[in-house]
Amino acid sequence: MRLLEERIRKDGIVKSGNVLKVDSFLNHQMDVTLFNEMGKEFKRLFADRPVNKILTIEASGIGIACIVAQHFNVPVVFAKKTQSINIDGEVYTSRIESFTHKRSYDVIVSKKYISKDDRILIIDDFLANGCAVNGLIEMIQSAGATVEGVGIAIEKGQQSGGKLLRDQGIRVASLAIIDSINDETGEIGFKEY
Amino acid sequence: MRLLEERIRKDGIVKSGNVLKVDSFLNHQMDVTLFNEMGKEFKRLFADRPVNKILTIEASGIGIACIVAQHFNVPVVFAKKTQSINIDGEVYTSRIESFTHKRSYDVIVSKKYISKDDRILIIDDFLANGCAVNGLIEMIQSAGATVEGVGIAIEKGQQSGGKLLRDQGIRVASLAIIDSINDETGEIGFKEY
């Protein structure tokens, strides 16, 4: 998606070790006008899929997922990072290894909010090694529900998460796929999506 | 807001100890159509305020804040619960005591995203003792920015957070103010907002 690629080139900050920071518009400060354009594009890309629910993971997936959900006219469920006294009854659990934070954590979704008839689009801000998305897929499969696809804002094309998902036959649409990051010049290369 | 009160009566679940669970539409599964009506109402209530940014706190405030932001045509910034390697430079920090989770935690906002010219509307899902909102206000004041108001989905009117904020002269608009919860009958009473 040209608009997102341009925004990443303009406002993304490249740090040593292939780290791309987009916290001025995507995952700390959030540009909801951009999110709305992303929502339109996800709707176009998944127009043939009978999505009835969007699943994301806290925290930075939630904003994008909510704006995207308006284009599908469906509710959003977000996987929570810790057991809360506000959730009772049974939950689906998955253990996720965070590339960004270099640690593991458990996420949960109440069983009330994924059922076998659900046809789910997963939305997240980043796809790197795919651990978060795989955790969400596991929970959807535990519920006997259907994964209609995965919509990602920024995929790190040099990492294997996207390939592994596509190899399983899952439709993954990433609006910007990073091909190369040069942390000396700050240049960012994109793949066609 | 009649629509939200009706939804709380219909889908809210009263638990012993005055706990109201609204995770089927507000803070685990999220009804973005309802959020959109809430956004219209916040825009009406704060129409005279020159809001240029919305500030919220992860995780359950983010979805509401993003949908509300579309009605103000402004970006959202969310306070993060833990120090992340994705944030560098200086941050504003505040310590928050969670009523729901019975524990304290630190939240941070990058100094890049609140500046002295900002005129900020705080949005959150719940207001009980007001600790989260007070933490956000502290950070806004540290930046020399202006608090234009506080927009809350559900205020627990029996707790003191709302009163303490209003006593400081802060405009607080809560779309549903709970006056009484009867955990034997499940009945919920509301104050006029």
Side-chain angles (χ1 to χ4, degrees):
Chain A
M1 186 188 186
R2 189 69 59 197
L3 187 71
L4 180 59
E5 291 175 359
E6 282 168 4
R7 188 63 176 273
I8 294 167
R9 284 216 170 93
K10 180 172 160 279
D11 291 330
I13 294 173
V14 174
K15 297 275 174 183
S16 61
N18 270 357
V19 173
L20 172 68
K21 286 166 53 67
V22 288
D23 62 6
S24 66
F25 60 95
L26 200 76
N27 50 18
H28 184 24
Q29 183 165 253
M30 298 181 288
D31 180 343
V32 296
T33 307
L34 174 66
F35 289 7
N36 194 38
E37 293 303 317
M38 290 163 50
K40 277 184 211 165
E41 184 64 357
F42 282 129
K43 177 63 191 172
R44 188 181 73 78
L45 293 165
F46 291 102
D48 59 328
R49 296 287 173 121
V51 172
N52 79 328
K53 195 166 278 184
I54 285 176
L55 181 65
T56 188
I57 185 165
E58 75 168 71
S60 44
I62 298 173
I64 300 170
C66 283
I67 304 285
V68 171
Q70 295 182 308
H71 294 270
F72 288 85
N73 205 18
V74 300
V76 174
V77 174
F78 69 90
K80 297 194 169 199
K81 278 183 180 167
T82 47
Q83 184 88 35
S84 152
I85 61 160
N86 264 339
I87 294 188
D88 49 25
E90 299 206 25
V91 295
Y92 298 110
T93 309
S94 195
R95 185 150 199 85
I96 289 177
E97 215 142 318
S98 167
F99 172 77
T100 319
H101 299 89
K102 317 268 187 238
R103 60 180 182 83
S104 311
Y105 53 91
D106 289 314
V107 295
I108 56 171
V109 172
S110 167
K111 288 192 177 174
K112 288 185 285 188
Y113 306 128
I114 310 182
S115 65
K116 68 175 177 37
D117 298 328
D118 281 331
R119 308 185 73 100
I120 296 177
L121 176 63
I122 292 170
I123 294 285
D124 208 0
D125 57 339
F126 265 98
L127 175 64
N129 61 18
C131 279
V133 169
N134 278 308
L136 296 178
I137 289 173
E138 243 176 56
M139 292 192 285
I140 293 169
Q141 288 171 342
S142 300
T146 307
V147 179
E148 289 294 341
V150 177
I152 299 291
I154 303 177
E155 178 178 339
K156 295 190 163 176
Q158 312 115 300
Q159 288 178 257
S160 59
K163 182 178 179 337
L164 293 172
L165 289 168
R166 292 179 183 102
D167 286 352
Q168 289 172 58
I170 291 168
R171 193 195 292 184
V172 181
S174 301
L175 301 186
I177 304 179
I178 291 170
D179 202 24
S180 61
I181 294 181
N182 185 328
D183 56 19
E184 284 176 16
T185 63
E187 259 172 88
I188 302 167
F190 295 98
K191 269 186 208 164
E192 281 303 307
Y193 80 95
Chain B
M1 187 188 185
R2 189 69 58 197
L3 187 71
L4 181 59
E5 291 175 357
E6 282 168 3
R7 188 63 176 273
I8 293 167
R9 285 215 170 95
K10 179 171 161 278
D11 292 330
I13 294 173
V14 174
K15 298 275 175 184
S16 61
N18 270 358
V19 173
L20 172 68
K21 287 166 50 68
V22 288
D23 62 7
S24 66
F25 60 95
L26 200 77
N27 51 17
H28 183 23
Q29 183 166 254
M30 297 180 289
D31 180 343
V32 296
T33 306
L34 174 66
F35 289 8
N36 194 39
E37 294 304 317
M38 289 162 53
K40 276 184 210 164
E41 183 64 356
F42 282 129
K43 177 63 191 173
R44 188 181 72 79
L45 292 166
F46 291 102
D48 59 327
R49 296 288 175 121
V51 172
N52 79 328
K53 194 166 280 184
I54 284 175
L55 181 65
T56 188
I57 187 165
E58 76 168 68
S60 45
I62 297 174
I64 300 170
C66 282
I67 303 286
V68 171
Q70 294 183 310
H71 293 271
F72 288 85
N73 207 19
V74 300
V76 174
V77 173
F78 69 91
K80 299 195 170 199
K81 278 185 179 163
T82 47
Q83 183 87 36
S84 152
I85 61 162
N86 264 340
I87 292 189
D88 49 25
E90 299 204 28
V91 295
Y92 298 110
T93 309
S94 195
R95 186 152 199 85
I96 288 176
E97 217 143 318
S98 168
F99 171 77
T100 319
H101 299 87
K102 318 267 185 238
R103 59 182 183 81
S104 311
Y105 52 92
D106 289 315
V107 295
I108 55 170
V109 172
S110 167
K111 289 193 177 173
K112 286 186 287 189
Y113 305 127
I114 310 183
S115 65
K116 67 174 176 42
D117 299 327
D118 282 331
R119 307 184 74 100
I120 297 177
L121 175 63
I122 292 171
I123 294 285
D124 207 1
D125 56 339
F126 265 97
L127 175 64
N129 60 16
C131 278
V133 169
N134 278 309
L136 297 177
I137 289 172
E138 243 177 54
M139 293 193 284
I140 293 169
Q141 287 171 342
S142 300
T146 307
V147 179
E148 289 293 343
V150 177
I152 299 291
I154 303 176
E155 178 179 339
K156 295 189 162 176
Q158 311 115 299
Q159 288 180 256
S160 59
K163 180 176 180 342
L164 293 172
L165 290 167
R166 291 180 183 102
D167 286 351
Q168 288 172 60
I170 291 168
R171 193 196 295 184
V172 181
S174 301
L175 301 186
I177 304 179
I178 292 171
D179 202 22
S180 62
I181 295 181
N182 184 329
D183 56 18
E184 283 177 17
T185 62
E187 259 172 88
I188 302 167
F190 295 99
K191 268 186 210 166
E192 282 302 308
Y193 79 95

